[in-house]
Structures are given as C-alpha cells and as structure tokens.
Amino acid sequence: MEFPTTGNRCSWKECKQLDFLSTPCDHCKLEFCKEHFHVISHSCSQFVDNVATNMEKLTSYCCSDISCSLTSVIEMPCIVCKKHFCLAHRYHGCLELSEEEKLQEKKKWDKPKQDFADAKAAVDQTIKEKLKKSKNSAMAIKVQLMKLKGSSIGSQGIPTADRRYFLVYYPTSTKNAGSSKGAFVSISWSMGKTIDSIADLLGIPNSNNVSTSKKLRIFHHETGLVISEKMDTLLLDLFNSKDLIDGQSIILEYCNDHKLEPSIYKSKTF
C-alpha cells in the first residue's frame, strides 16, 4: 500500500525519488534525498553564489596606490593617512620627514654625542692633570727624601735599611707651630710606638696613655686624613699598601677626628 502524501520527493531533477526522511539544503532550502542533499550532489547554485560573494568581500581591500591593483583580505591602513596599502607600497611618503624635521632629529641625536664627548674630554683632562701632579709629587718626595737623610733626627740604634724618613709638622698648639722637622723611625714599629718616638724626638707633649686627653695622631700633609686610627698597625703594612711613602710630609696633631684641615700647615722648603 502506497502513501502518496507522506514524505517529499527529491528536488534533484534527475532523481525525484520519494523520501520519507528528506533533508533540506541550507543554501537553496529545497528538499533532497540522502544521496543528493549535499551541495555538490545537486550542484547547488545558491551555494556557488554565496561563495563568490564572500570571496569578493574578503578581497575588498585594494591598495591605494594608483599604479597598484593588488588586493588583500587583511586591511593594512597607514597610521598617518589611514588608507590601505600593500606591502610593496607601505612606504608611500606619509612617514617621510621634512628637511626641517630631519634637522631637528639630527640635533636631538647629536646633543648626547656632544655631551659625551665633552664629558670624556673633561675626564681625560682631569686624569692627565692628576697623573702630572702624581709624577711631580713623586719626584718632589724623592728629592725631599734625599735632603731628609742628611738632616733628620732619630734613634741611632735603628739599622740603616729599616729607617723610614718623614718631614713632620708640629701641632698648632705648640710653640713650634708652623714649622717642621725631619725624623726617621723603624719600619718594624707600630703606629703607637712611631708617635711616641717622634713626639719624644721633637719635644712634643704626649698624653696618649691618658684616656680623657686628646690623642696625638699622624695625618697626611696633602689630604689631612689620619694615616691609621689603630695604634697597633705596623708601619710595614702601611708602606706595603702605599698609605705611607718614604720621605713624605706628615702632620703630628692632637685630634680625635679622622680628618683635619691641612692648609694651615705650611709646606716646608729646604
């Protein structure tokens, strides 16, 4: 027994088969059997038109250069003019600087270079002056050492090889303030013994053994910095570290600070 009103006939013109479970096409909306429901099986014209339309939309970005016909599915707008350009014409003039802008950019980059050159020149000059001063100072100390060896006082029991010479400036509170005297000590002595010996040789009152009194200490004549705050420091160590140089000028002063003003102690001329 047939049911002519049940189901749908396949819309494919060469099929027309009655199908109780027909399937509609998503594009043309017609009913098809299981063999012709696919867009390719029934050559769906609506599907071809939709694809063509979508492809046309995807390739709608045309290069704005009048000599170019390239299109792209991705828009690449210029950040200045906002127009789309292909990769070949992305440098189309918008981003180029004017001569005035180029000059300003050059000045902007030239300034750090000039600042660096000026700073380097200043540092080089400072180093040159310090080296020159260091060489002059080293030569002056050598000359001073030669003179000190002929005029300094010290313990005759110190072997000649162990002797180290200084031009000692008196404390400002003594009667000999402003003057200096050559003295030699032993490189094997400690800082405490060195101070005691020089104070005794120059007749300078020394109360370092009294806890409440200002300490008699040795300072660099050039910088005013204390040579050592520890009384048990050996001169040998100070010479090895270049904190002391044979023949240099030193200041003997009552001071508990680590620095004093060296300009008040006049330089000695032999």
Side-chain angles (χ1 to χ4, degrees), residues 5 18 22 41 81 91-92 97 108-109 114 118 140 159 163 165 182-183 224 228 234 266 268-270:
T5 59
L18 181 64
S22 60
S41 300
C81 67
Y91 300 114
H92 53 278
L97 300 176
K108 185 176 72 174
W109 288 106
Q114 186 60 46
D118 293 343
R163 294 180 183 183
Y165 295 81
S228 177
L234 296 178
K266 297 180 180 179
K268 172 71 176 181
T269 303
F270 282 91

Side-chain angles (χ1 to χ4, degrees), residues 23-66:
T23 303
C25 175
D26 292 335
H27 301 278
C28 65
K29 309 303 180 183
L30 298 176
E31 297 286 338
F32 295 91
C33 68
K34 64 180 181 180
E35 294 183 0
H36 298 110
F37 76 92
H38 196 278
V39 292
I40 296 178
S41 300
H42 64 270
S43 301
C44 184
S45 58
Q46 192 65 36
F47 173 76
V48 174
D49 292 341
N50 289 341
V51 171
T53 301
N54 290 335
M55 289 300 293
E56 184 178 353
K57 290 180 180 179
L58 288 174
T59 57
S60 61
Y61 297 112
C62 299
C63 180
S64 298
D65 190 282
I66 57 175

Side-chain angles (χ1 to χ4, degrees), residues 4 11 31 73 80 83 103 106 112 126 148 163 172 209 221 227 232 247 258 260:
S11 298
E31 297 286 338
V73 295
V80 178
K83 295 180 180 179
L103 182 61
K106 185 176 183 301
T126 301
L148 285 173
R163 294 180 183 183
T172 55
N209 60 336
H221 181 260
I227 291 176
D232 58 349
H258 69 280
L260 49 72

Side-chain angles (χ1 to χ4, degrees), residues 134-146:
S134 178
K135 290 179 180 179
N136 292 340
S137 178
M139 180 57 69
I141 290 176
K142 287 182 179 179
V143 173
Q144 182 167 278
L145 176 60
M146 293 173 61

Side-chain angles (χ1 to χ4, degrees), residues 214-270:
K214 274 193 175 182
K215 302 303 179 184
L216 194 60
R217 304 163 88 183
I218 296 178
F219 298 82
H220 286 284
H221 181 260
E222 288 189 1
T223 64
L225 293 172
V226 66
I227 291 176
S228 177
E229 296 184 2
K230 296 180 179 180
M231 293 296 102
D232 58 349
T233 301
L234 296 178
L235 291 190
L236 177 62
D237 295 334
L238 294 172
F239 275 96
N240 287 338
S241 63
K242 305 299 181 183
D243 287 324
L244 284 177
I245 301 175
D246 196 13
Q248 77 176 77
S249 299
I250 59 175
I251 300 169
L252 195 61
E253 186 58 89
Y254 302 101
C255 183
N256 290 333
D257 296 329
H258 69 280
K259 190 178 188 303
L260 49 72
E261 177 52 54
S263 61
I264 61 176
Y265 303 88
K266 297 180 180 179
S267 298
K268 172 71 176 181
T269 303
F270 282 91

Side-chain angles (χ1 to χ4, degrees), residues 86-103:
C86 67
L87 291 177
H89 296 109
R90 63 188 183 277
Y91 300 114
H92 53 278
C94 278
L95 299 178
E96 291 184 6
L97 300 176
S98 64
E99 291 301 321
E100 183 178 353
E101 289 174 329
K102 290 180 181 178
L103 182 61

